[in-house]
Amino acid sequence: MTQFDVVIIGAGAAGLMCAAQAGYRGRSVLVLDHAKQAAKKILISGGGRCNFTNLNASPANYLCHNPHFVKSALARFSQHDFIELVERHGVAYHEKTLGQLFCDDSAKDIVQLLLTECDWADVKVQLRTEVTDISKTAEGFRLSANGEAIGCQSLVVACGGLSMPKLCATPLGYQIAEQFGHTILPTRAGLVPFTLDKPDLAQYAELAGVSLSVTAESADGTRFKEALLFTHRGLSGPAILQISSFWQPGEDVTLNLLADTDLPATLRQWAEKQPNQTLKTALARLLPKRLVEVLGQQGKIDGDLPLRALDAGRMQKLLASLSQYPVHPNGTEGYRTAEVTLGGVDTDELSSKTMESKKVPGLYFIGEVMDVTGWLGGYNFQWAWSCGWAAGQAV
Ligand code: FDA
């Protein structure tokens, strides 16, 4: 049996970060992954440019059954620590919007950074390897990698969540957690487009490809002001992906379609100059024209009304129609297109300092397999770096 100090299952964001840290501490480290390539999700992330962190990352940007859990790791290895690493490797980057940092060239730069770190730390990364038959031994753990027996003191489960099976996602992490008696909080797709019922889809059919800035609000009052995109299947865009993580089946999402405009002030000003202009012509200066047409068809606006006829009552009604516009998703596109998996290994059973299991000493869970999910915008990778780093100091 080949022996290592540390075996990490999953050569993704969290696994590679953890591996390099453990290797630098002088531990012998083996990373196993069934994929042909390491870190496939990093490679396609951020439209191929990887939104690798967020300047504003803080515990408030994470969903977790225990909101305090993320504090320690985020503080010990913050976005500034990762940015320092990126700069040390000479990777050029820029802020796109809302603190989101992207590579100037390619997400490959981040994967190369991680593999270089692993190389310098003497980590062995073994791809195309199926991991089976994991068991606890007196010294640590024993597992089978492509049929070969391997022993280790510390076993790190870093095999991600269920989102995007095409990119090699599997439920192995949850299965290992269950095998060792861990609680799995219910999993579901997050950061995912909404689907709509056929009649709703038919109403929005003309709008596929149209995007606009909105505030999207879930039933629990969480709000995001970002872009919405109408698609052939339903609704997408950053505002929708963000709110999808807070949405529960059956609930409405409320949109403010004029998130950037003081509607009454703007229309009153325009009414003074062009009192006979119709409401639909005026609104088409603020919203995509095709959307204004749909709003008219839905009876949300009286498009032919001249601006001069907008008295206080009508203005109030119009404002309510456009700022509290309900949409009723019938579901999401699911794991096929979701960026993340909500839920996962219950953090109450893990150390927030080291990510070690409180039930089975020597067993660690890091990354998306845990019940920690970040907002859209580089927060998920930051969690992978922070918890991977924290576990890397302990394994
Ligand atoms: P990750 O998925 O990175 O790695 C898990 C590894 O385990 C994979 O290499 C996989 O092959 C391996 N594995 C799985 N099952 C296995 C098995 N049975 N045996 C062996 N190995 C196995 N986040 C962000 O912050 N910024 C962004 O720009 C994006 N963009 C983005 C785009 C898309 C399309 C997706 C799907 C996701 C994102 N994300 C993101 C989210 C981000 O990719 C995600 O949060 C991290 O990759 C999670 O890191 P992990 O290391 O936990 O899992």
Side-chain angles (χ1 to χ4, degrees):
M1 181 164 74
T2 320
Q3 190 69 30
F4 286 85
D5 294 332
V6 184
V7 169
I8 299 172
I9 307 174
L16 293 175
M17 172 56 92
C18 176
Q21 292 306 311
Y24 284 134
R25 286 177 42 243
R27 308 284 280 157
S28 61
V29 183
L30 172 67
V31 185
L32 299 171
D33 201 299
H34 68 150
K36 290 184 201 147
Q37 242 179 335
K40 280 189 166 185
K41 280 195 186 162
I42 300 182
L43 288 172
I44 55 113
S45 67
R49 290 227 162 90
C50 185
N51 178 195
F52 56 81
T53 193
N54 193 296
L55 287 173
N56 308 317
S58 84
N61 305 114
Y62 294 89
L63 288 96
C64 177
H65 171 66
N66 170 7
H68 302 291
F69 182 84
V70 297
K71 288 182 179 171
S72 168
L74 286 175
R76 288 168 70 220
F77 190 84
S78 72
Q79 61 270 39
H80 307 293
D81 295 307
F82 193 74
I83 293 166
E84 192 270 325
L85 184 64
V86 165
E87 289 178 353
R88 201 154 17 97
H89 281 258
V91 176
Y93 66 92
H94 60 278
E95 180 185 349
K96 199 167 165 189
T97 172
L98 303 169
Q100 301 167 4
L101 300 190
F102 286 76
C103 297
D104 283 357
D105 293 332
S106 164
K108 283 183 196 156
D109 292 345
I110 299 296
V111 177
Q112 194 49 52
L113 174 161
L114 293 166
L115 291 176
T116 303
E117 288 283 316
C118 283
D119 192 31
W120 289 344
D122 235 355
V123 169
K124 185 174 175 199
V125 180
Q126 187 179 316
L127 303 173
R128 300 171 194 258
T129 302
E130 294 297 330
V131 180
T132 52
D133 303 325
I134 301 169
S135 57
K136 183 89 185 77
T137 61
E139 301 76 33
F141 300 86
R142 185 194 155 97
L143 51 88
S144 171
N146 281 351
E148 191 203 338
I150 293 178
C152 59
Q153 284 172 8
S154 300
L155 180 65
V156 184
V157 180
C159 38
L162 298 167
S163 50
M164 294 228 178
K166 265 192 185 164
L167 295 173
C168 295
T170 73
L172 181 65
Y174 307 107
Q175 289 161 358
I176 299 172
E178 268 174 0
Q179 178 189 339
F180 287 104
H182 274 270
T183 309
I184 314 287
L185 299 181
T187 52
R188 64 189 172 91
L191 301 181
V192 63
F194 285 138
T195 51
L196 296 171
D197 280 334
K198 269 196 181 156
D200 288 342
L201 260 191
Q203 287 187 36
Y204 298 125
E206 294 292 303
L207 296 177
V210 168
S211 108
L212 72 155
S213 171
V214 302
T215 302
E217 183 171 344
S218 57
D220 71 356
T222 307
R223 282 184 202 176
F224 289 94
K225 182 168 171 285
E226 289 196 54
L228 172 146
L229 173 71
F230 289 93
T231 72
H232 290 291
R233 283 186 288 268
L235 302 171
S236 188
I240 294 302
L241 300 185
Q242 296 279 33
I243 214 69
S244 72
S245 296
F246 295 84
W247 174 81
Q248 301 295 336
E251 291 176 355
D252 276 358
V253 168
T254 306
L255 303 176
N256 180 352
L257 300 174
L258 284 164
D260 295 320
T261 311
D262 179 346
L263 186 69
T266 307
L267 290 185
R268 265 186 225 116
Q269 208 182 13
W270 290 351
E272 275 175 28
K273 288 185 191 151
Q274 293 172 289
N276 293 325
Q277 187 174 67
T278 60
L279 183 58
K280 69 179 174 213
T281 308
L283 287 177
R285 293 163 71 181
L286 301 169
L287 291 167
K289 197 172 168 210
R290 278 186 279 167
L291 176 59
V292 176
E293 284 162 13
V294 171
L295 291 169
Q297 287 156 15
Q298 291 178 332
K300 296 280 181 192
I301 59 167
D302 179 357
D304 294 326
L305 196 75
L307 292 185
R308 66 182 145 72
L310 265 180
D311 54 26
R314 284 184 172 132
M315 185 72 89
Q316 201 50 42
K317 214 173 137 213
L318 176 67
L319 189 61
S321 285
L322 300 182
S323 64
Q324 290 157 42
Y325 182 83
V327 285
H328 188 76
N330 70 358
T332 72
E333 290 187 7
Y335 293 120
R336 189 177 60 81
T337 60
E339 284 201 13
V340 289
T341 306
L342 293 152
V345 178
D346 189 350
T347 55
D348 283 351
E349 297 166 0
L350 304 174
S351 154
S352 62
K353 191 166 178 222
T354 63
M355 313 299 140
E356 186 176 16
S357 162
K358 291 180 183 169
K359 292 179 171 246
V360 184
L363 180 64
Y364 296 76
F365 293 91
I366 56 173
E368 200 177 319
V369 71
M370 321 162 71
D371 167 40
V372 174
T373 306
W375 293 4
L376 185 80
Y379 301 101
N380 283 295
F381 280 137
Q382 184 55 48
W383 175 246
W385 317 137
S386 296
C387 66
W389 184 93
Q393 313 308 310
V395 286

